[in-house]
Amino acid sequence: MPRTATGESSLARAVRVLDAFTADEPVLRVSEIARRSGLHVATASRIVGHLVEQGMLARGEDGSVRVGMRLWELASRAAPTRSLRDAAMPFLEDLHAVVGHHAQLAVRDADEVIFLERLSARDAVVNFSRIAGRLPLHISSSGVVLLAYGPPELRERVLARPLEGRTAATVTSPERLRVLLAQVRQQGYALLPGHVHEDATGIAVPVRDGLGEVVASLSVILPNDDRAASAVPVLLAAARGIGRALRDR
């Protein structure tokens, strides 16, 4: 792989360009791509050109750049998440029909939670997560479940760093977060009212594979009121169904 004078490969720089795009900002100007990737504008422009030629990126008529269909096609072939999503979809659809708001499937990627699927309704409560979107583990109910059931070194790593807050209810104290994680492991679910948005309650449960390992979290986002906790039994039942489907594959 060709390398620059700094020793960085062309592939590494291409990845930096692709990393500039986010779920909230899927369309960018080359100048913004250069700023976010830390590359010179001319270098970023050249790499963007190569990625456009390969279909990884696409140009708009106004010169803007967006993620291309080729990149989406390749990403959709990711075997671990695809098999998990396929097994979960029937149960996710049933769960969504029952709660009438948002139903989500998420996995952990390093120290973040990434959402594989989300089903929503037109008049559903506000929800900041989205498909392929990421959040720090400690903020959302999905992430808290994955953190609670993750390896001890992951918990210690997260607890040792500053904890970002989204609302006044978000747990930003390491001591309080440690207590919350222990509570989640004891009761088998996370119920977080107002942690991402004041008007919403996130409830998540672990999804286990055939070996009993937690491989994902299943969650719903509901209005922040006294009725939210009633969704816990149906969530647990749906997670067990996904686990059985994974064992049968």
Side-chain angles (χ1 to χ4, degrees):
M1 181 66 63
R3 293 184 176 272
T4 65
T6 61
E8 185 179 36
S9 69
S10 299
L11 177 58
R13 289 184 295 162
V15 170
R16 286 166 63 183
V17 166
L18 294 173
D19 274 343
F21 297 88
T22 68
D24 292 321
E25 295 172 289
V27 180
L28 299 171
R29 295 283 181 179
V30 171
S31 58
E32 180 62 16
I33 294 173
R35 187 187 70 80
R36 295 185 181 191
S37 62
L39 297 170
H40 189 278
V41 173
T43 302
S45 180
R46 183 174 66 254
I47 294 172
V48 165
H50 292 321
L51 292 172
V52 168
E53 290 175 0
Q54 299 301 318
M56 303 296 181
L57 297 176
R59 289 190 189 274
E61 294 183 359
D62 61 353
S64 60
V65 182
R66 58 178 172 79
V67 173
M69 290 297 292
R70 178 64 173 162
L71 189 60
W72 172 84
E73 178 186 5
L74 293 172
S76 68
R77 299 174 187 170
T81 57
R82 182 175 180 179
S83 60
L84 173 61
R85 180 187 176 278
D86 289 347
M89 278 306 297
F91 302 94
L92 196 65
E93 290 169 349
D94 289 346
L95 178 63
H96 175 246
V98 171
V99 302
H101 286 270
H102 308 281
Q104 306 176 143
L105 181 70
V107 296
R108 179 173 68 88
D109 184 27
D111 295 354
E112 295 179 307
V113 57
I114 182 168
F115 295 90
L116 303 184
E117 186 59 80
R118 186 185 81 169
L119 301 180
S120 300
R122 183 180 61 184
D123 298 322
V125 69
V126 63
N127 183 10
F128 288 151
S129 60
R130 61 185 63 194
I131 297 174
R134 294 172 178 266
L135 283 173
L137 286 171
H138 73 283
I139 288 180
S140 72
S141 58
S142 296
V144 165
V145 161
L146 294 170
L147 182 57
Y149 289 94
E153 58 269 23
L154 168 68
R155 293 194 292 275
E156 295 307 316
R157 187 166 67 245
V158 171
L159 288 163
R161 66 172 63 128
L163 300 172
E164 171 192 353
R166 293 293 176 90
T167 71
T170 307
V171 176
T172 56
S173 159
E175 293 78 14
R176 286 183 57 209
L177 181 57
R178 193 181 294 277
V179 171
L180 174 62
L181 297 175
Q183 181 184 32
V184 168
R185 291 192 297 273
Q186 180 180 25
Q187 65 189 16
Y189 64 89
L191 193 156
L192 305 183
H195 282 228
V196 180
H197 190 281
E198 292 85 351
D199 296 333
T201 291
I203 311 174
V205 299
V207 174
R208 299 179 184 272
D209 64 10
L211 299 176
E213 298 293 327
V214 174
V215 295
S217 61
L218 183 67
S219 66
V220 293
I221 309 299
L222 305 171
N224 188 2
D225 57 33
D226 294 338
R227 295 170 294 178
S230 64
V232 171
V234 69
L235 255 176
L236 291 169
R240 288 193 293 269
I242 296 172
R244 288 193 296 271
L246 289 172
R247 289 193 293 272
D248 293 341
R249 285 176 174 266

